[in-house]
Amino acid sequence: MEREWNRICAKRIRSGLNQAGADFCDRVEELRLRVGQPLAVTMENGTSYLTAAGQLTARWEEALIVTETDMAETMEYVSSYSRYAYAEELRQGFITVRGGHRVGFCGKTVITDGKVRGPKYIQGLNIRVARQVPGCADAVYPLLYAEGLCHVLLVSPPGCGKTTLLRDLVRRLSDGSVNHPGLRVSLVDERSEIAACYQGVPQNDVGRNTDVLDGCPKAEGMMLMIRTMNPEVLAVDEIGTRADLNALEQAVTCGCRILATAHAGSWAELCSKPGLDRLLRERLFRYFVFLERTGSGHVRWRVLTKQGEEAAWGWR
């Protein structure tokens, strides 16, 4: 059975995916195409290769080898046969397709007047499969109201699900619950990963009262949303630059509650990040939710207070 993300693959690759079956396709997190290399599939238990017959293997020589023809055909599907129409997305390094799936690419970069114009010879693609997990934030959601609505930072290394958790928290805050009314949430989705907008329309459920600013740099986007949408909650993914942090501080002075994510594998690593250390000293965030993936592929979450003390933990 084909999925939206299957249809953007070259027919030879699509055939292997379809032979692998619906259950397999439902568990794929990333699909990587590299010219002259085996077709790589990332799932919750790691990365392996896919054969032309739809079987997973650890032996690359048994796998389906991606050709230049496969790459060219896939790019035609991804860009709807018009790369010119996606010039800005190509410059940024990714295209979001119907269904919210994000296709990143690499190759020889064209630079004009010191500015990146986009790739010329695309040699690698990474299809990141958009997948919502409704309810994954149920255990964490009450913490946002532990002392009135408070600022929360979600923290993890890449691939542990912090964006998925952020998405579900945004939905919960926006829709509200029996005990809490729905809130006006402004979501700055710089890389189209949270709402996964396709032609401006969110493909993921981010709630009835959520306004989405898609494809805008975070720092500028946060200021735009504050000026134009009067949010009660400001949500943003992967903060880190000094511009991001300055924008967050301004948002707080405007009365917004902050829901954000950041890359780090531990409390010590988080404290060592330039810029973030200042926010930690100022104790802006009331809670920090750390996610980590175990060897079995399960995700464990821990909640730390602004003093760095563990307040709760669980699995999802």
Side-chain angles (χ1 to χ4, degrees):
M1 177 181 179
E2 291 189 3
R3 304 294 193 270
E4 290 285 356
W5 63 271
N6 293 42
R7 298 190 187 107
I8 63 174
C9 296
K11 292 178 181 178
R12 197 168 68 97
I13 294 172
R14 197 187 314 167
S15 174
L17 292 169
N18 291 339
Q19 289 183 72
D23 179 65
F24 166 85
C25 290
D26 285 340
R27 293 185 291 120
V28 172
E29 296 178 358
E30 292 183 350
L31 189 73
R32 291 182 182 267
L33 287 68
R34 303 178 179 99
V35 173
Q37 300 298 327
L39 181 65
V41 179
T42 298
M43 305 171 80
E44 63 180 11
N45 57 350
T47 299
S48 51
Y49 306 115
L50 189 70
T51 70
Q55 301 296 315
L56 283 177
T57 177
R59 296 173 57 85
W60 67 267
E61 59 270 24
E62 298 175 352
L64 187 156
I65 302 299
V66 178
T67 67
E68 290 188 359
T69 300
D70 293 329
M71 185 65 69
E73 184 182 347
T74 300
M75 277 305 300
E76 288 296 302
Y77 295 144
V78 169
S79 62
S80 301
Y81 300 94
S82 177
R83 293 198 191 186
Y84 177 79
Y86 288 90
E88 180 59 25
E89 287 86 348
L90 286 167
R91 188 188 68 79
Q92 294 181 4
F94 67 90
I95 293 175
T96 300
V97 300
R98 187 182 300 276
H101 314 295
R102 195 178 74 159
V103 184
F105 29 80
C106 60
K108 181 176 177 59
T109 303
V110 177
I111 298 178
T112 306
D113 298 328
K115 296 182 178 180
V116 175
R117 298 301 180 187
K120 184 175 183 181
Y121 303 110
I122 295 175
Q123 297 295 306
L125 289 181
N126 179 28
I127 301 173
R128 298 189 65 176
V129 179
R131 186 168 290 116
Q132 299 184 83
V133 186
C136 71
D138 287 354
V140 176
Y141 172 70
L143 292 171
L144 274 65
Y145 289 97
E147 297 179 4
L149 189 61
C150 57
H151 309 297
V152 173
L153 184 66
L154 313 178
V155 186
S156 83
C160 291
K162 62 182 177 300
T163 300
T164 302
L165 180 59
L166 174 65
R167 181 187 303 117
D168 204 44
L169 283 171
V170 166
R171 179 186 64 83
R172 291 292 306 273
L173 287 168
S174 178
D175 287 346
S177 62
V178 174
N179 298 319
H180 305 288
L183 300 174
R184 297 186 305 276
V185 181
S186 284
L187 173 61
V188 181
D189 197 2
E190 180 176 5
R191 298 186 302 175
S192 305
E193 283 191 291
I194 310 168
C197 289
Y198 174 71
Q199 297 181 349
V201 179
Q203 302 293 288
N204 291 327
D205 182 4
V206 289
R208 293 185 292 272
N209 296 297
T210 299
D211 300 300
V212 180
L213 188 60
D214 181 62
C216 182
K218 288 186 283 289
E220 296 175 46
M222 285 187 273
M223 292 298 94
L224 282 170
M225 288 303 235
I226 290 170
R227 288 196 295 267
T228 60
M229 302 311 296
N230 187 28
E232 294 172 286
V233 177
L234 186 62
V236 63
D237 202 12
E238 296 184 7
I239 60 172
T241 69
R242 295 195 181 277
D244 294 344
L245 304 176
N246 290 336
L248 284 176
E249 289 180 326
Q250 292 185 54
V252 170
T253 63
C254 294
C256 290
R257 290 297 181 264
I258 304 299
L259 180 60
T261 74
H263 276 148
S266 66
W267 178 261
E269 184 181 345
L270 183 67
C271 293
S272 69
K273 286 185 172 289
L276 277 175
D277 58 341
R278 187 179 81 232
L279 292 184
L280 296 179
R281 287 196 305 271
E282 295 172 356
R283 296 187 175 180
L284 169 65
F285 294 102
R286 176 67 181 86
Y287 287 111
F288 302 83
V289 181
F290 282 81
L291 304 175
E292 58 183 9
R293 193 181 289 275
T294 66
S296 63
H298 294 95
V299 175
R300 179 178 185 265
W301 58 267
R302 294 185 304 132
V303 177
L304 302 185
T305 67
K306 57 187 176 183
Q307 291 83 16
E309 301 170 347
E310 188 168 287
W313 66 275
W315 300 88
R316 75 166 186 83

